[in-house]
């Protein structure tokens, strides 16, 4: 609302075209004020519309979520690739030994069973190492501690007299089974034992010892009668094997023998005697010795066991049981010292018995200075063991079949051998067992 007041001294002319009212004031009475009513002011112009933020925030949230999902998928893919080379150690505590070993085999892990006394039922796994749930490389060794009523460590009795060995084994709570075998070693000497010295077994277990029957000299039998020759052989601990041959010598007289007189043979060996038939057609010349036995059949083939991941000495025992020889070679590796990291030929292949399997054995993450292994081939087990231990090595004894009587009861092989062998390594010596 506004007030318009106009003061004029002349008559006012109202312009109709202006569309407004004017008040004319003349001199005289007080002026009359007339109000003009004006309508409300026009509304202010509308404010510019603000842009919406929530669509942009939603888009940003979707981008972040997509990035996180992509990162998770990539990480999961890496874990799957990594898991292809590693496995999780299953929990087998409380299971029986056989079931536990089968489960570890299914997880592509190698079992190492150690019997120890515990409060658990006999034959039950009461601990394992590495712990269940651990991530390890496929083929790693998992040690299973299996409950045993009481455990005894098998003493070393090779080289002892049978009576002394028996007393020693009984003192350790072990039973004894004696097997008498032909050998050039003195009679009553223990040539080998099974299980090997140092093995942990349950008390009451039986240890088999192979005892030499000793060697004797073959007596001279030519010219003697049949009865005299047979009595002489039996008295010497030998077995007579008589054949009748054409000869001019008196009937029943020994005209030849094999082996010849004076030869040392294992007690219990057979001695062939040729007896004259008295026909006179032989001209008195003794027949030639019997032909040599036919050559042995070709060695049988056998599947090579997979021993990777095992300790060197355990791998050698398993190969020896399967009829194979071993060659230990130390290589750089971050696996524990003494662990077999690879083998050649690989496990699962087929090879002739007696084939030598190369065992690439770890020097350990921080290898120390190596030592030279003394050569003990051809020595007695007792002497070889003493020499190796004095050089700072542990000793494991295994039996190996030999076709030579001269090697019976002696060390015919040792592994590892040579220089740069880690101090304290177990050296396996193989004791010859004449197969006859």
């Amino acid at each position: 609302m506004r007030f318009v007041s106009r003061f004029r001294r002349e008559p006012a002319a109202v312009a109709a075209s202006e569309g407004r009212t004017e008040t004319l004031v003349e001199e005289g009475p007080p002026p009359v004020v007339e109000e003009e009513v004006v309508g409300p002011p026009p509304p202010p112009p509308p404010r510019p519309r603000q842009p919406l933020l929530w669509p942009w925030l939603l888009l940003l949230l979707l981008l972040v979520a997509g990035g996180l999902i992509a990162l998770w998928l990539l990480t999961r893919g890496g874990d799957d690739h990594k898991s292809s080379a590693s496995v999780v150690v299953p929990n087998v505590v409380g299971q029986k030994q056989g079931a536990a070993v089968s489960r570890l085999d299914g997880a592509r892990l190698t079992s190492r069973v150690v019997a120890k006394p515990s409060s658990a039922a006999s034959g039950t796994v009461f601990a394992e190492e590495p712990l269940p749930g651990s991530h390890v490389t496929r083929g790693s060794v998992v040690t299973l501690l299996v409950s045993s009523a009481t455990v005894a460590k098998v003493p070393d009795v090779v080289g002892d007299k049978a009576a002394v060995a028996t007393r020693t084994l009984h003192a350790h709570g072990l039973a004894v089974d004696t097997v008498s075998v032909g050998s050039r070693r003195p009679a009553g000497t223990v040539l080998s034992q099974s299980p090997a010295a140092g093995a942990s077994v349950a008390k009451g277990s039986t240890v088999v010892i192979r005892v030499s029957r000793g060697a004797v000299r073959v007596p001279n039998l030519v010219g003697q009668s049949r009865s005299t020759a047979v009595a002489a052989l039996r008295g010497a601990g030998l077995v007579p094997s008589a054949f009748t041959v054409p000869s001019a010598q008196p009937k029943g007289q020994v005209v030849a023998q094999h082996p010849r007189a004076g030869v040392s043979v294992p007690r219990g060996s057979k001695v062939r005697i040729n007896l004259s038939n008295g026909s006179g057609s032989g001209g008195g010349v003794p027949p030639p010795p019997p032909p040599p036995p036919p050559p042995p059949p070709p060695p049988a083939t056998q599947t090579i066991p997979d021993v990777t991941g095992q300790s060197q000495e355990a791998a050698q025992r398993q190969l020896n049981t399967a009829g194979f020889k071993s060659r230990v070679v130390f290589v750089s590796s971050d696996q524990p010292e003494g662990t077999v990291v690879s083998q050649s030929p690989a496990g699962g292949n087929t090879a002739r018995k007696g084939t030598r399997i190369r065992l690439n054995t770890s020097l350990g993450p921080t290898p120390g200075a190596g030592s030279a292994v003394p050569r003990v081939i051809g020595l007695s087990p007792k002497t070889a063991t003493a020499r190796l231990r004095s050089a700072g090595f542990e000793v494991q004894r295994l039996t190996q079949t030999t076709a030579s009587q001269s090697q019976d009861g002696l060390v015919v092989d040792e592994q590892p051998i040579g220089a740069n062998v880690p101090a304290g390594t177990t050296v396996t010596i193989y004791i010859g067992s004449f197969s006859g």
Side-chain angles (χ1 to χ4, degrees):
M1 178 183 296
R2 67 181 177 181
F3 299 91
V4 180
S5 177
R6 301 235 179 139
F7 301 92
R8 291 186 180 183
R9 295 186 182 271
E10 297 177 355
V14 177
S17 61
E18 291 182 3
R20 67 174 179 266
T21 303
E22 291 185 355
T23 303
L24 301 179
V25 181
E26 297 182 355
E27 292 181 357
V32 177
V33 178
E34 194 173 292
E35 295 181 352
E36 180 181 359
V37 178
V38 181
R47 294 181 181 181
R49 191 172 184 180
Q50 297 292 332
L52 297 178
L53 294 180
W54 68 266
W56 296 99
L57 292 176
L58 179 60
L59 178 60
L60 179 62
L61 181 62
L62 291 176
L63 290 175
V64 172
L68 291 176
I69 292 174
L71 178 62
W72 177 76
L73 290 174
L74 290 175
T75 305
R76 186 185 67 170
D79 290 342
D80 290 343
H81 177 73
K82 183 177 179 181
S83 64
S84 64
S86 65
V87 294
V88 178
V89 178
N91 186 1
V92 295
V93 175
Q95 298 183 13
K96 287 294 185 180
Q97 174 182 325
V101 171
S102 297
R103 187 172 178 188
L104 290 177
D105 288 343
R108 297 191 178 183
L109 295 170
T110 303
S111 305
R112 177 174 176 263
V113 178
V114 177
K116 286 190 176 182
S118 77
S119 58
S122 180
T124 302
V125 177
F126 65 88
E128 61 181 296
E129 177 64 33
L131 295 176
S134 302
H135 289 266
V136 298
T137 305
R138 183 181 299 169
S140 297
V141 176
V142 177
T143 301
L144 302 179
L145 300 183
V146 179
S147 177
S148 176
T150 312
V151 174
K153 198 167 187 177
V154 179
D156 185 1
V157 296
V158 175
D160 294 344
K161 289 294 184 181
V164 176
T166 300
R167 287 196 299 268
T168 302
L169 292 170
H170 284 166
H172 284 73
L174 301 170
V176 182
D177 185 8
T178 302
V179 178
S180 181
V181 296
S183 170
R184 295 178 184 272
R185 301 291 302 282
T189 303
V190 178
L191 303 176
S192 64
Q193 65 182 87
S194 180
S200 294
V201 298
K203 277 198 173 182
S205 299
T206 299
V207 177
V208 178
I209 57 174
R210 298 173 66 253
V211 180
S212 171
R213 290 196 292 262
V216 295
R217 290 185 178 277
V218 179
N220 186 6
L221 307 171
V222 176
Q224 298 182 13
S225 64
R226 176 190 177 110
S227 58
T228 304
V230 168
L233 289 173
R234 288 177 176 168
L238 300 171
V239 178
S241 179
F243 294 85
T244 301
V245 296
S247 171
Q249 300 297 323
K251 185 177 181 179
Q253 182 175 311
V254 179
V255 296
Q257 68 180 85
H258 182 78
R260 67 181 184 276
V263 174
S264 294
V265 295
R267 188 181 299 273
S269 299
K270 286 185 178 182
V271 177
R272 171 172 175 149
I273 53 176
N274 292 338
L275 303 173
S276 171
N277 64 1
S279 64
S281 60
V285 179
T301 58
Q302 178 81 6
T303 301
I304 302 172
D306 184 1
V307 295
T308 54
Q310 299 186 26
S311 65
Q312 163 217 324
E313 55 267 31
Q316 288 180 282
R317 285 197 302 269
Q318 186 173 350
L319 289 174
N320 187 70
T321 302
F324 295 103
K325 299 178 181 179
S326 63
R327 178 177 174 232
V328 178
V329 178
F330 285 92
V331 296
S332 298
S333 170
D334 57 358
Q335 294 197 32
E337 180 182 320
T339 302
V340 177
V341 297
S342 63
Q343 67 182 85
S344 179
N349 291 325
T350 301
R352 294 187 306 171
K353 284 189 175 183
T355 300
R356 194 174 291 275
I357 311 299
R358 174 177 171 137
L359 303 178
N360 293 325
T361 306
S362 174
L363 285 169
T366 55
S371 303
V373 178
R375 184 177 176 84
V376 296
I377 296 176
L379 301 179
S380 67
K382 211 83 168 177
T383 303
T385 300
R387 183 170 296 184
L388 289 169
R389 286 178 176 166
S390 65
F393 296 99
E394 298 296 325
V395 180
Q396 173 179 244
R397 295 181 179 181
L398 298 176
T399 301
Q400 182 174 301
T401 302
T402 176
S404 174
Q405 285 189 355
S406 62
Q407 294 181 326
D408 190 58
L410 302 178
V411 178
V412 296
D413 191 14
E414 62 178 309
Q415 287 293 328
I417 192 170
N420 298 324
V421 175
T425 296
T426 298
V427 177
T428 301
I429 58 175
Y430 297 83
I431 315 304
S433 173
F434 177 59
S435 59

